[in-house]
Amino acid sequence: TSRLSSRLTSVSGWSVRADWDGIRWKDFLKEIVVDPGATHVIFTGYGEIYTTTVSLLDLQAPRVMLVTGVAGDPLEAEYGGPLRMVIPNLYGYKSCKWLTQIEFINRMEGGYWEDRGYSRSGIIEPGTTFDVNSKTHKEIKGGEVVDF
């Protein structure tokens, strides 16, 4: 198990930093066989209602993680436990909660929020966000939020 400090940033205007516990995506990949033709991953949540597709290139970011806990405590169901993705370089809707399935595919597909109008890429846009930790609004540059 690893611990990474990173920020989950929501498209709805808030961002929170936490010490996430779990398995780094890059370490997970060392333990499985991935189809060499795969370019994307579909993450599916409990009940198979929620899905999202993420590019393998976006998953190469250094703080991508399969999360089972926060700051030494088990991840609560309210926050996606027992297992969720945290992909800090993309908006939070790409960080699938209640993760039950990971499928490697060769194309981008829609997903729960993407089929309702959200960006398929999930790239964090420049603007302002409410930092939950400091309870203040802060400017963000776009991409992973690392300045605070």
Side-chain angles (χ1 to χ4, degrees), residues 59-124:
L59 292 168
Q60 291 177 6
R63 284 172 285 283
V64 174
M65 182 176 243
L66 292 116
V67 170
T68 58
V70 179
D73 292 325
L75 185 64
E76 296 175 24
E78 177 182 359
Y79 301 111
L83 179 65
R84 72 167 296 152
M85 288 300 299
V86 170
I87 308 172
N89 50 308
L90 301 178
Y91 279 127
Y93 66 90
K94 298 304 251 182
S95 293
C96 184
K97 295 179 180 179
W98 311 292
L99 185 61
T100 59
Q101 183 175 328
I102 298 171
E103 180 183 0
F104 292 82
I105 60 171
N106 64 1
R107 67 199 172 280
M108 174 56 90
E109 290 189 359
Y112 182 86
W113 286 114
E114 296 87 343
D115 291 347
R116 289 161 174 78
Y118 285 34
S119 158
R120 283 191 175 195
S121 71
I123 294 171
I124 298 170

Side-chain angles (χ1 to χ4, degrees), residues 4-9 14-18 20 61-64 86-90 124-127 129 131 133 138-148:
L4 292 173
S5 177
S6 67
R7 203 164 261 293
L8 191 60
T9 302
W14 58 266
S15 182
V16 64
R17 178 171 294 284
W20 306 102
R63 284 172 285 283
V64 174
V86 170
I87 308 172
N89 50 308
L90 301 178
I124 298 170
E125 300 289 335
T129 192
D131 175 23
N133 304 90
K138 297 194 177 197
E139 293 291 321
I140 57 174
K141 298 175 188 172
E144 183 176 355
V145 179
V146 295
D147 295 336
F148 54 94

